[in-house]
Amino acid sequence: MSDLGHVLVLAGGLSYEREVSLRSGRRVSEVLRATGIDVETRDTDASLVPSVLADPPDAVFVTLHGGAGEDGAIRSVLELLNVPYVGADPDACRVAFDKPTAKAVVRSVGLRTPASVTLPKETFHDLGATVVLGRIVERLGLPLFVKPARGGSALGASFVPTAEELPAAMVGCFAYGDTALIERYVEGVEVAVSVVDLGSGPVALPAVEIVPDEGVYDYAARYTAGHTEFFAPARLSAAAAAACAETAVTAHTALGLRDISRTDLIVDADGVPHFLEVNVAPGMTETSLLPMAAEAAGEDLGELCRTLLQNAASRSATS
């Protein structure tokens, strides 16, 4: 592995998830400094490129969530600058960040994912919301789950138990994106499975079970301490836990991801995992799921992040 001089942690950005990203960046910077690494934390503003050109870091850890942090844009710029970074390349990010596309990819390799329909806002305007929403309910049934086709942190996402609540859910969704993903709701245990590749291939960390106080894992439940109960490892049978791990690694591989990812699943009453979405820049805050999974696996978060950075630097040196 390469020795690291100084590394750059990117946090902030201009997406709706800016505040979460800043918290993730602070956490990663803290745990890396605890391992003795010289860490610089920067936002993605006009000073970033000149700064990197003047003093190139050995590697970059991207903790940008949503928008440019996960759609491949910032990573494309890092590649233009010949700076190595932790995580998936731009092409893989573009596929994974678009939830309907990611669902299609994992379905093609045999993973289960809830039945769904993806429609842009213009469709409802042009064809009439009432008739289209009525057909969605007839086809997918109730309850439903509505979320923006791109984005994260449950912003714009809604659980829809009745047809009467669907129009409001669509309005909330379109406040965060122009395209909605409407899924059949699968009853079961909600888990998140983080995948890391420290040099020997992708490995799933223990699944983390998510039990929100209010029943829905929304933005407040995700980032407000005490609003959600977590179990790491998840309270699953050995067979279900193994199926979740296999599903997450399969999704990571099928989507062409690299280094690190987090797959969100619902485990039904039969112990079968259903793929919901994948995150190429998992949250790293005090209430985030990957750090919980790492602790459950007996991994030190700082050493894990350090190894990922060393691998990225080594990958650049040999390319």
Side-chain angles (χ1 to χ4, degrees), residues 146-147 156-160 164-174:
V146 176
K147 55 190 172 184
S158 300
F159 171 66
V160 182
E164 290 73 23
E165 293 171 84
L166 184 53
M170 300 301 295
V171 171
C173 176
F174 288 137

Side-chain angles (χ1 to χ4, degrees), residues 9-23 25 41-45 48 62-70 74:
V9 173
L10 290 182
L14 296 177
S15 79
Y16 293 115
E17 298 173 72
R18 174 177 173 80
E19 291 305 315
V20 178
S21 172
L22 290 170
R23 289 170 59 184
T41 307
R42 295 192 65 92
D43 209 329
T44 53
D45 54 29
L48 177 62
V62 180
T63 62
L64 299 164
H65 306 315
E70 296 185 68
I74 287 295

Side-chain angles (χ1 to χ4, degrees), residues 43-167:
D43 209 329
T44 53
D45 54 29
S47 68
L48 177 62
V49 171
S51 172
V52 169
L53 288 172
D55 185 17
D58 293 304
V60 174
F61 204 112
V62 180
T63 62
L64 299 164
H65 306 315
E70 296 185 68
D71 67 3
I74 287 295
R75 297 164 199 242
S76 292
V77 173
L78 293 175
E79 294 200 350
L80 288 173
L81 297 172
N82 292 318
V83 174
Y85 56 88
V86 171
D89 67 24
D91 288 342
C93 285
R94 280 187 282 271
V95 173
F97 187 59
D98 188 81
K99 295 180 181 68
T101 303
K103 280 168 64 75
V105 170
V106 302
R107 189 185 296 113
S108 73
V109 295
L111 299 186
R112 294 200 184 190
T113 186
S116 63
V117 61
T118 303
L119 294 172
K121 181 165 55 177
E122 290 77 9
T123 299
F124 295 93
H125 179 270
D126 295 344
L127 300 182
T130 301
V131 65
V132 175
L133 292 178
R135 185 57 182 163
I136 289 172
V137 172
E138 289 177 21
R139 188 64 180 268
L140 296 181
L142 290 166
L144 296 167
F145 201 86
V146 176
K147 55 190 172 184
R150 310 175 94 214
S153 292
L155 293 168
S158 300
F159 171 66
V160 182
T162 68
E164 290 73 23
E165 293 171 84
L166 184 53

